[in-house]
Amino acid sequence: MTALDRLSGERIFDISDLGRRGDGIATLDGKTLYVPYALPGETVRAEVSGDRAGLLEVVTPSAHRVAPPCRHFTVCGGCAVQHLDDASYRDWKRGLVEAALAHRGIDCAVDPLVDANGRGRRRTTLHVSFENGAAQAGFMEARSHRLLDLDACPILVPALRDAPTIARALARPFAVRNKPLDIHLTATQTGIDCDIRGDGAGTRDIGLDVRRDLPGVARQFDLARIAIAGETIAAPRAPMVTVGPARVASPPGAFLQATSAGEATLAALVQAHIGQADAVADLFCGIGPFALRLAQHAAIFAADSDKAAIAALDAAARHTSGLKPVTATVRDLFRNPLAAEELKPFDAVVFDPPRAGARAQAHELAGSNVTTIVAVSCDPASFARDAATLIAGGYRLARLTPVDQFRHTPHVELVARFVRG
């Protein structure tokens, strides 16, 4: 029997800190415990099991505890922190970035957290399972493999208020397969874009009944497009998004920032940091949320491994008047990063990699002579790793701003500016 096993059972104890995943942290008999939905300064009664504890009662509540805005909170696993007042929440999220920097020994002042929630998230992925032939759609329950069948989700934009209902309707033609689905819904300016994926959504064996029924669902809910694993099945109209001065036809399953306000906020910070640069490389560019805005004042080289995204960016650039030249290239920057020699023509570089960061590209940037580098990241830990590489190469981290477009979760975006010397 371990020391943690001996802690098991119902206990009363104090919470000292809020962890990086939003759990309350306590020390009990010299061991660290994580207690979801508990806050620092609280005395709680909880059922202890190993290094986790299930909250049974808040004996003494924190002065910073507030009523959660969603009635599904603590059951639904989608949100971790709805019960903390706004000022404390902002400090916590900013602290996540500060802790990641400190772990790498990086000393830099972190700006206050910028709220970029806007009207809510414009994209979501709902999980679908079938029970007695009926589709259930929602998110997984907290710390569980059970699906919570949702009626609505208050963190989504109004256009997605019927997202669970739409997901169930999209899933019905797949009921005979009785396999789980993931249904990606994105609110665009011309309607909801749907991409159906998961174990039950292989396009090779999609039956005629599915292909026959899905266009009817598109008409019922006035959807812009329905795709299965990226293959368009029904498209009454092209899903369009506005990116700065351009309109982009979004490919099926294309990545967009979670909120429109988040994209605008990140882009404004990038533009401010780029300044008067005449030639800019936008790496991991996606459909061009930065490239198409920056092209109003600078020549742009944009690269990404997503062929469909690059095609959409290229088409948007060619059909938007008043832009400087935009060169859009398909390139796997993980395996084939732009070398230091290739970076010589650019006054500035923007890179916005996936959550894993850009280890190889950061190494090449560190050896370059680019005057200004702007990093955009959705993961403070991988950012701090890449930042340490740039700093070791002679760059200085001059500014860092955290941005919150995933309200109520531990996820935080950031924009940072590096300068030579």
Side-chain angles (χ1 to χ4, degrees), residues 285-308:
C285 63
I287 65 169
F290 307 134
L292 291 168
R293 289 176 169 92
L294 295 173
Q296 295 174 94
H297 306 290
I300 303 297
F301 172 85
D304 197 287
S305 61
D306 188 331
K307 294 180 181 180

Side-chain angles (χ1 to χ4, degrees), residues 186 188-194 224-225 235 237-241 248-251:
T186 303
T188 75
Q189 291 179 319
T190 51
I192 297 175
D193 188 16
C194 315
R225 178 173 60 200
R237 53 194 176 277
M240 304 295 295
V241 292
V248 182
S250 181

Side-chain angles (χ1 to χ4, degrees), residues 28-401:
L28 187 59
D29 297 347
K31 305 299 178 182
T32 300
L33 287 178
Y34 298 90
V35 190
Y37 317 119
L39 295 176
E42 294 186 332
T43 300
V44 302
R45 183 169 62 88
E47 183 71 27
V48 178
S49 178
D51 64 349
R52 309 283 295 179
L55 183 63
L56 300 174
E57 177 189 3
V58 178
V59 179
T60 305
S62 165
H64 302 288
R65 178 175 283 275
V66 297
C70 177
R71 67 185 183 88
H72 298 295
F73 182 62
T74 73
V75 177
C76 176
C79 292
V81 182
Q82 289 192 5
H83 55 307
L84 182 62
D85 69 52
D86 191 55
S88 302
Y89 170 82
R90 290 196 305 269
D91 288 343
W92 170 64
K93 274 217 159 167
R94 182 170 176 263
L96 297 177
V97 178
E98 292 175 325
L101 294 177
H103 180 70
R104 292 283 177 173
I106 299 173
D107 183 17
C108 175
V110 178
D111 291 345
L113 182 74
V114 178
D115 180 12
N117 185 67
R119 301 188 71 194
R121 296 189 206 170
R122 60 180 172 178
R123 59 179 176 85
T124 187
T125 299
L126 293 173
H127 306 301
V128 173
S129 64
F130 298 93
E131 186 171 326
N132 297 322
Q136 296 185 323
F139 303 124
M140 304 311 291
E141 293 184 7
R143 297 166 304 284
S144 169
H145 296 292
R146 294 188 303 270
L147 183 68
L148 175 63
D149 194 34
L150 281 178
D151 52 351
C153 176
I155 67 172
L156 302 179
V157 293
L160 292 177
R161 65 183 180 275
D162 295 326
T165 301
I166 294 171
R168 284 187 281 268
L170 289 168
R172 284 188 195 108
F174 298 86
V176 68
R177 301 178 176 206
N178 197 32
K179 293 182 179 180
L181 298 168
D182 291 324
I183 297 186
H184 305 263
L185 303 177
T186 303
T188 75
Q189 291 179 319
T190 51
I192 297 175
D193 188 16
C194 315
D195 191 22
I196 305 170
R197 296 179 182 259
D199 292 345
T203 54
R204 290 183 180 180
D205 57 346
I206 290 297
L208 292 176
D209 54 339
V210 173
R211 295 181 183 274
R212 180 195 64 226
D213 292 346
L214 286 178
V217 180
R219 291 189 296 270
Q220 179 185 357
F221 293 97
D222 194 26
L223 306 176
R225 178 173 60 200
I226 300 174
I228 300 176
E231 178 187 318
T232 298
I233 302 299
R237 53 194 176 277
M240 304 295 295
V241 292
T242 296
V243 178
R247 278 173 59 82
V248 182
S250 181
F255 174 80
L256 295 176
Q257 294 294 343
T259 71
S260 297
E263 179 184 302
T265 299
L266 296 173
L269 288 165
V270 168
Q271 286 179 298
H273 292 331
I274 289 301
Q276 302 301 312
D278 293 321
V280 178
D282 182 6
L283 308 181
F284 308 96
C285 63
I287 65 169
F290 307 134
L292 291 168
R293 289 176 169 92
L294 295 173
Q296 295 174 94
H297 306 290
I300 303 297
F301 172 85
D304 197 287
S305 61
D306 188 331
K307 294 180 181 180
I310 288 294
L313 165 58
D314 181 64
R318 287 187 286 103
H319 290 89
T320 304
S321 61
L323 298 184
K324 301 287 187 179
V326 175
T327 302
T329 301
V330 176
R331 182 160 175 167
D332 185 340
L333 296 168
F334 294 106
R335 298 181 179 181
N336 184 25
L338 260 70
E341 186 71 19
E342 295 176 277
L343 293 165
K344 283 184 177 180
F346 304 113
D347 306 311
V349 172
V350 180
F351 72 106
D352 180 16
R355 189 169 300 280
R359 187 191 300 268
Q361 188 60 73
H363 176 76
E364 295 296 336
L365 284 165
S368 76
N369 289 315
V370 176
T371 303
T372 301
I373 296 173
V374 180
V376 182
S377 175
C378 61
D379 185 82
S382 63
F383 163 79
R385 181 201 65 211
D386 294 343
T389 299
L390 294 176
I391 292 168
Y395 282 92
R396 176 173 60 88
L397 178 50
R399 182 82 182 270
L400 194 158
T401 306

